[in-house]
Amino acid sequence: MFTEIPLERPETPLLDTIASPADLRALDRNSLPQLVDELRHFLLYIVGQTGGHFGAGLGVVELTVALHYVFDTPDDRLVWDVGHQAYPHKILTGRREQMLTLRQKDGLAPFPVREESEYDTFGVGHSSTSVSAALGMAIAARMADLDQRTVAVIGDGAMTAGMAFEALNHVSDVGVNLLVILNDNAMSISRNVGGLAKYFARILSSRLYLSMRAGSKKLLSRIPNAWELAKRTEEHMKGMVVPGTLFDELGLNYMGPIDGHDVLALVTTLENIRDLEGPQFLHVVTQKGKGYEPAEQSPVGSHSLSKIESKRAIASETANTPTYSNVFGQWLVDMAKRDDKLVGITPAMREGSDLIEFSEQFPDRYYDVAIAEQHSLTLAAGLAVEGAHPVIAIYSTFLQRAYDQLIHDIAVQNLDVLLAVDRAGLLEDGPTHSGAFDLSYLRCVPNMVVMAPSDENEARQMLYTGFITTGPCAVRYPRGHGPGASIESDMTALEIGKGRLICEGERVAILAFGTVLTAAKEVANRLGASLVDMRFVKPIDAELVEQISMHHDLIVTVEENVVKGGAGSGVNEFLAAAGIACPVLNLGIPDEFIGHDRPDNMLADCGLDAPGIESAIRTRVDQLGINLAKVISLPRN
């Protein structure tokens, strides 16, 4: 049991010999427990140096070793769900010495990426995709007549999403060779890993039982009534001691639950079922954060870890300053005290969205629907129809998964639902987690009001504005801290569709949407430009844009969202419809997926930091032959 994150690379003599799973398979199985200990120790060291997810990875160390030991990867396909649990997989598949580059530019991705390794068979970031993807691979293998085994590893949290059950429902209908492994780290069912459950799991996966079952089926199938009676008897016996009836009914051969931290038992079980024909389902019980005492005591709090050195630096720089998520959490509690019809909803993001205090103070009005984004929106729609006022705390990248529900169930009916869209903008986990598209996909939906605060106080006031406004509203804000604005305890509604002119300049006007205002201010001061905090992406402040166009030679829009279809496009559309011919420069995220890196580096690469914004404006000014009132170069690092 480890109690601290090692600050120096630990001694891992056995792990150091593993350059690929082929090396792992060459080991004597009795050496696997030592490899497990070394791998867990090395994982703790790596995450301490780089930051990242580690609780889930600690929980699947034994399972990862056993899978690569038994299956002939990469020829056999191994599909990880979500990707939080894939760090041990990366270490064992030739990337051990690259692990210190995790989440750095041009370094290893924090999730499986097909371009990174042949062992990463499917790119993942969002949950509940593994069974569908693995099923597609298994079907393709059968079409090509390949002797290839396919394994999907899915967590119990990911099993709460409808997509996982849609895939499982299809598996039995297709009948391909597919093993689904349920990595179950829920505390409530760990008690099932007792003597009887272990014994029954060994029996169900043993070659003797499986061969006898196949022989009995062949013999008794000739006597329909006898076979039906035997089949039902087996199902009832299994249902008495294992929770697998549902999966059996779906047409999968259920086995388990078994101890996911007994690497030798895992190897034996996987060897027993590796060559079975048809769909198989293995239930493995693990403990999130296994082997690291603080994570075992607090599996939720240890879901991920900040880089140790930077964590200390950040703490000193941002002491006592709230994040945007904190602002939302406090506003939700304050608003709930005022309005007993407020209901808070989240798809498994209680801690990340800072709903802890709300859930404790208003448990009867708090609903964590698990990883079920589609359900969360339609649940809110049902609440709104009956007069409740739901607020959904959801990450930008996860809202993408419920787009039909947003349109069909909420917007078409013009229901009073507030979306608190967290993690908007670029995130260090890369394209699967960055909130780069929400302004584009939200502003095209009729009846929507879309707001983007530039600081913490605006976030609070916009949340209030959205809550009291009729119809669906969205307030999108980034992860982390803002510029440090003073937050007013009072709540004041903003006028819908109205921006604010911050300073008047000449020739160039910068229209900033959201938190890019901080960088835009710096540029406006240096260029003598006008600056507008637009506040509303939809409806756009048409009157203010028209006035700006009449008194400036160039309008510049800036947003931390893709340029295509974004807030700047809304400005373009208005000018075109009004017949106003004013040059416009749209700055935002380019038409490409931005790789993982530190967010400030990502912004700089997209030209959305102050130097990048100024450079783009100067280039366009030169092209147009505009003479700026001030010519002051911004110093670069």
Side-chain angles (χ1 to χ4, degrees):
M1 175 71 70
F2 301 105
T3 58
E4 295 182 349
I5 302 292
L7 299 180
E8 296 183 358
R9 193 191 193 285
E11 295 292 329
T12 55
L14 188 56
L15 178 63
D16 292 347
T17 68
I18 307 300
S20 73
D23 298 326
L24 169 62
R25 290 189 283 270
L27 295 177
D28 181 274
R29 70 175 59 203
N30 291 325
S31 65
L32 296 183
Q34 177 186 340
L35 179 64
V36 162
D37 288 341
E38 292 183 10
L39 178 55
R40 183 167 276 119
H41 202 186
F42 182 74
L43 175 61
L44 285 170
Y45 164 71
I46 287 298
V47 179
Q49 296 297 306
T50 67
H53 299 94
F54 78 118
L58 289 172
V60 295
V61 168
E62 290 86 356
L63 178 60
T64 306
V65 169
L67 284 168
H68 282 296
Y69 190 78
V70 172
F71 288 91
D72 188 21
T73 55
D75 292 336
D76 288 337
R77 305 300 196 227
L78 179 56
V79 184
W80 295 97
D81 207 283
V82 181
H84 294 162
Q85 57 193 333
Y87 286 12
H89 160 79
K90 286 179 179 262
I91 294 169
L92 292 174
T93 53
R95 289 168 278 183
R96 182 184 63 250
E97 300 307 317
Q98 296 173 272
M99 292 299 290
L100 288 173
T101 70
L102 273 168
R103 303 202 301 177
Q104 297 176 22
K105 185 176 178 61
D106 299 324
L108 292 183
F111 304 105
V113 176
R114 292 178 62 235
E115 294 78 13
E116 186 176 290
S117 170
E118 62 180 337
Y119 294 94
D120 291 358
T121 60
F122 195 77
V124 291
H126 294 179
S127 83
S128 316
T129 62
S130 61
V131 182
S132 296
L135 179 57
M137 293 177 185
I139 293 172
R142 184 173 66 181
M143 291 173 63
D145 197 26
L146 296 175
D147 183 21
Q148 171 184 301
R149 296 290 153 173
T150 309
V151 183
V153 182
I154 185 168
D156 58 313
M159 285 291 291
T160 61
M163 182 178 178
F165 283 93
E166 291 173 16
L168 289 172
N169 184 58
H170 189 210
V171 166
S172 62
D173 187 56
V174 177
V176 293
N177 297 330
L178 173 66
L179 170 60
V180 177
I181 297 178
L182 172 61
N183 170 30
D184 181 356
N185 57 33
M187 300 289 286
S188 61
I189 57 177
S190 60
R191 64 177 182 273
N192 288 330
V193 186
L196 182 59
K198 286 183 178 179
Y199 171 75
F200 205 70
R202 286 200 303 272
I203 294 297
L204 291 178
S205 66
S206 69
R207 294 189 183 280
L208 176 62
Y209 169 81
L210 293 168
S211 60
M212 289 179 61
R213 186 178 187 272
S216 300
K217 179 178 180 180
K218 185 175 181 180
L219 174 64
L220 294 176
S221 61
R222 300 172 185 172
I223 314 172
N225 291 338
W227 167 241
E228 187 61 29
L229 177 61
K231 181 181 177 183
R232 290 186 179 183
T233 301
E234 180 194 37
E235 289 175 352
H236 286 307
M237 283 292 294
K238 289 168 74 175
M240 289 173 63
V241 291
V242 295
T245 305
L246 169 62
F247 302 107
D248 279 324
E249 291 297 325
L250 286 170
L252 293 92
N253 181 37
Y254 174 90
M255 288 161 281
I258 76 170
D259 184 355
H261 298 302
D262 186 338
V263 66
L264 297 181
L266 282 170
V267 167
T268 300
T269 301
L270 291 171
E271 287 177 337
N272 287 341
I273 64 180
R274 175 183 54 200
D275 298 323
L276 295 180
E277 297 295 315
Q280 313 296 323
F281 191 97
L282 177 62
H283 183 173
V284 175
V285 176
T286 63
Q287 182 173 10
K288 192 172 183 179
K290 177 68 175 178
Y292 178 53
E293 187 174 5
E296 288 190 9
Q297 297 298 321
S298 178
V300 174
S302 299
H303 174 66
S304 63
L305 180 73
S306 298
K307 182 178 177 180
I308 293 175
E309 292 87 354
S310 65
K311 186 176 182 180
R312 293 180 185 138
I314 291 171
S316 62
E317 292 173 6
T318 59
N320 301 319
T321 61
T323 65
Y324 281 99
S325 298
N326 298 152
V327 172
F328 164 74
Q330 186 59 57
W331 169 82
L332 192 67
V333 170
D334 294 345
M335 197 69 233
K337 292 175 181 178
R338 292 192 185 190
D339 190 332
D340 60 8
K341 292 184 178 181
L342 183 151
V343 177
I345 302 171
T346 181
M349 289 296 144
R350 173 178 176 262
E351 287 76 21
S353 295
D354 200 9
L355 287 162
I356 299 173
E357 185 178 353
F358 175 81
S359 67
E360 293 171 348
Q361 290 197 32
F362 304 96
D364 295 337
R365 289 193 271 155
Y366 166 72
Y367 296 95
D368 184 339
V369 302
I371 303 174
E373 295 87 358
Q374 295 173 316
H375 168 59
S376 71
L377 266 70
T378 304
L379 172 69
L383 283 161
V385 162
E386 295 300 326
H389 204 151
V391 179
I392 307 173
I394 188 168
Y395 290 6
S396 170
T397 186
F398 300 145
L399 180 57
Q400 295 164 186
R401 309 186 80 183
Y403 195 50
D404 179 65
Q405 287 68 30
L406 171 66
I407 296 173
H408 182 272
D409 299 334
I410 294 176
V412 168
Q413 302 184 89
N414 200 30
L415 297 175
D416 296 341
V417 175
L418 175 61
L419 297 169
V421 185
D422 201 343
R423 269 52 170 190
L426 297 170
L427 297 180
E428 60 189 341
D429 283 333
T432 59
H433 281 60
S434 288
F437 309 103
D438 52 79
L439 294 186
S440 299
Y441 69 68
L442 287 172
R443 77 173 194 85
C444 66
V445 179
N447 292 333
M448 286 293 306
V449 172
V450 183
M451 293 171 267
S454 61
D455 61 38
E456 301 91 332
N457 185 57
E458 254 191 14
R460 178 176 173 87
Q461 308 311 326
M462 285 183 179
L463 288 163
Y464 175 68
T465 302
F467 186 79
I468 65 172
T469 298
T470 300
C473 295
V475 179
R476 63 101 72 168
Y477 47 88
R479 179 183 185 179
H481 297 265
S486 177
I487 303 174
E488 301 170 7
S489 58
D490 292 340
M491 290 185 254
T492 306
L494 306 179
E495 185 177 354
I496 297 296
K498 292 298 180 183
R500 63 187 181 106
L501 181 64
I502 294 177
C503 63
E504 291 189 68
E506 300 178 5
R507 313 306 293 271
V508 174
I510 303 174
L511 312 186
F513 293 87
T515 53
V516 291
L517 180 71
T518 301
K521 269 184 185 177
E522 193 174 334
V523 177
N525 288 336
R526 293 186 177 277
L527 300 182
S530 295
L531 179 64
V532 178
D533 176 7
M534 290 298 291
R535 288 182 164 175
F536 289 84
V537 176
K538 183 179 184 181
I540 205 84
D541 191 338
E543 181 180 353
L544 181 55
V545 172
E546 183 175 6
Q547 291 177 356
I548 290 290
S549 68
M550 295 171 60
H551 298 95
H552 294 82
D553 299 318
L554 174 65
I555 292 177
V556 181
T557 67
V558 188
E559 61 193 295
E560 193 176 341
N561 183 84
V562 290
V563 171
K564 291 186 179 295
S569 293
V571 174
N572 301 347
E573 291 161 11
F574 164 72
L575 293 173
I580 299 173
C582 180
V584 180
L585 172 62
N586 299 133
L587 300 180
I589 299 171
D591 186 24
E592 60 187 73
F593 291 109
I594 308 301
H596 52 275
D597 196 356
R598 286 178 44 180
D600 54 346
N601 291 339
M602 298 166 80
L603 285 170
D605 288 344
C606 293
L608 292 177
D609 61 349
I613 294 170
E614 181 182 358
S615 177
I617 293 174
R618 287 188 180 278
T619 297
R620 182 56 56 89
V621 162
D622 290 342
Q623 292 171 347
L624 297 173
I626 299 172
N627 293 317
L628 293 173
K630 295 182 180 180
V631 184
I632 305 175
S633 296
L634 191 63
R636 295 177 181 272
N637 293 329

